[in-house]
Amino acid sequence: MCYDVETQLRRQLKKAVEVGAPSEEIDFLEHKIKQFVSDFGEDELSKNEHHWTMGFQHQKIPVITDEDPDNLQFFHWGLIPFWVKDKVTARKIANNCLNARSETMFDKPSFRAAAKERRCVIPLSGYYEHHWVDSKGKNKVPYFIKHKNGSPLFMAGLWETWLNKEKGEEVQTCTIATTKANNSLSRVHNRKLGDPRMLVILPFENVSDWLSPIEGNADIELLEALCIPYPDELLELYPVAQLRGKLGVGDMAQASEPFDYGLIGLP
DNA sequence: CCAGACGTTGTT
DNA sequence: GTCTGG
DNA sequence: CCAGACGTTGTT
DNA sequence: GTCTGG
C-alpha cells in the first residue's frame, strides 16, 4: 500500500542543507524550485506542496522528467497510458497505476512505453505505510518512512501524457516504481505470506542514470539494476497519527511527526 | 474475429 | 445515508 | 476521491 | 496501442 506521500519541496531543500548534502544534490532541488517560482509564482508552488496526499486523490506531485530535467513540474499521481480512450477507464487505470512493479514495468502494456521513454524522479520528504495491529487489519498504525538524516528521497517514477478527448485537454500523470521490501519495511507490513513491497528510492548519484535515454536491452538491465531495495540502515521509520478520515490529521505538518500509540510490540 | 483488458497491494 | 476499499 | 456495499445462516 | 480469451 504505497499510496501516501509527503512532497514538501521547501522542507526537503531545508533538510538537505541542514545535513550537509552534496552540493549537486542541493543545487538539483534549489535551482529547480527557484526557476519554478520565477516562472509560476510562489502561490503555485505552495498550492502543490503536500504534507500528506493519498494516491487516490490524484493530486499533483513533483516530478523531474527525462524530457525536461532542468525544470520542476507537477504531474497527477496515477499513471494514465496514452492509449486510454475515455475518462471512466482513465480513472480506473490511474487508481491501479499509482505504483509500477519495477520487475515487470518493461513488459506491461500500461507501463512499457513509459518505462522506455518517459522516466522521472519524484522527490519526497518521505512516504507512509500502514501497519496492521490485528490480523484483519481492522486497526492500522501509519508509519512515516524517511531518510535517516532527513535528506530528500528520490523515487524512481514513470510519466505519461494523456489526451482527454472529451475536454480536449492534456493531462500529465506519473507513477512510482516498487521493488521487494527491505527488512524494516517488511516488518511494518505485517501481513501473511506474500510479497512485501517498497518504493524504489534512488541514491542521488543514480538519479541522472535513471533519467538517461536508453539504447537497447543492456540499458534496460542497467535501469532494472537501479530498482533495488533501499538499505535498511539508511532509513528511519516511526508511527504517526492517523492520516485519513474524520480523525485523520490530513495534509498537515503533524502528519509526519512521531505519535505514541502506547502499544507494545510495534516494529 | 473482436470485445475487453491493460494493475497494484501482504487480496479486507 | 454512510462507511470502506482500492 | 468515489463506486459499491450495506447481511444472515451451522460451514462455500 | 497491443494482446488475449472465448
Side-chain angles (χ1 to χ4, degrees):
Chain A
M1 230 194 249
C2 313
Y3 297 159
D4 305 80
V5 298
E6 223 277 12
T7 70
Q8 290 272 327
L9 288 160
R10 289 269 194 227
R11 184 180 186 183
Q12 293 177 52
L13 177 57
K14 187 164 163 257
K15 280 288 179 185
V17 172
E18 266 176 35
V19 304
S23 61
E24 304 95 54
E25 185 172 337
I26 294 172
D27 292 349
F28 184 82
L29 285 177
E30 188 167 36
H31 171 263
K32 291 179 180 64
I33 293 172
K34 270 191 188 148
Q35 184 66 46
F36 185 88
V37 169
S38 133
D39 289 347
F40 302 102
E42 189 67 44
D43 286 353
E44 189 62 21
L45 178 67
S46 330
K47 202 176 80 185
N48 289 305
E49 294 272 62
H50 295 292
H51 284 290
W52 168 72
T53 184
M54 178 181 59
F56 297 107
Q57 296 175 184
H58 303 299
Q59 287 182 289
K60 287 181 178 181
I61 60 175
V63 296
I64 292 123
T65 66
D66 46 5
E67 185 184 71
D68 187 8
D70 292 333
N71 284 302
L72 172 66
Q73 301 179 77
F74 290 89
F75 290 177
H76 293 279
W77 186 11
L79 189 127
I80 306 174
F82 65 92
W83 42 257
V84 168
K85 299 289 193 299
D86 62 280
K87 209 182 157 148
V88 174
T89 310
R91 161 72 69 160
K92 208 181 290 178
I93 290 189
N95 279 343
N96 289 327
C97 297
L98 296 171
N99 300 138
R101 288 183 73 94
S102 58
E103 298 90 336
T104 53
M105 65 186 173
F106 286 100
D107 305 318
K108 297 285 184 184
S110 293
F111 299 128
R112 58 192 173 201
K116 284 178 191 145
E117 296 158 32
R118 288 177 289 279
R119 290 180 302 283
C120 61
V121 292
I122 298 166
L124 298 179
S125 15
Y127 73 101
Y128 303 88
E129 287 288 6
H130 289 267
H131 178 75
W132 285 20
V133 175
D134 54 88
S135 62
K136 304 266 187 201
K138 186 141 176 77
N139 297 295
K140 300 185 188 83
V141 170
Y143 274 68
F144 189 57
I145 295 118
K146 62 189 271 292
H147 196 284
K148 196 164 230 168
N149 70 15
S151 305
L153 298 178
F154 298 95
M155 323 305 294
L158 310 175
W159 64 279
E160 275 285 0
T161 301
W162 178 63
L163 177 64
N164 181 340
K165 283 186 180 144
E166 296 150 55
K167 282 190 173 179
E169 275 175 12
E170 284 194 338
V171 183
Q172 286 174 305
T173 62
C174 62
T175 184
I176 309 177
T178 66
T179 186
K180 185 174 150 41
N182 65 20
N183 280 336
S184 40
L185 277 150
S186 303
R187 263 181 286 122
V188 167
H189 282 289
N190 59 331
R191 302 214 66 199
K192 302 221 169 109
L193 293 168
D195 177 27
R197 312 291 296 167
M198 72 182 289
L199 298 180
V200 174
I201 303 167
L202 299 169
F204 181 73
E205 61 265 29
N206 290 332
V207 163
S208 60
D209 298 325
W210 181 252
L211 298 179
S212 300
I214 58 169
E215 306 278 326
N217 288 341
D219 288 342
I220 287 180
E221 280 170 28
L222 291 178
L223 291 174
E224 284 171 336
L226 299 178
C227 297
I228 53 177
Y230 201 68
D232 288 278
E233 61 273 19
L234 294 182
L235 294 177
E236 182 183 348
L237 297 77
Y238 55 78
V240 294
Q242 293 299 316
L243 297 166
R244 304 175 177 181
K246 220 189 298 181
L247 303 169
V249 300
D251 191 0
M252 310 276 280
Q254 197 193 335
S256 62
E257 287 163 15
F259 184 89
D260 183 8
Y261 284 85
L263 292 168
I264 50 166
L266 287 179

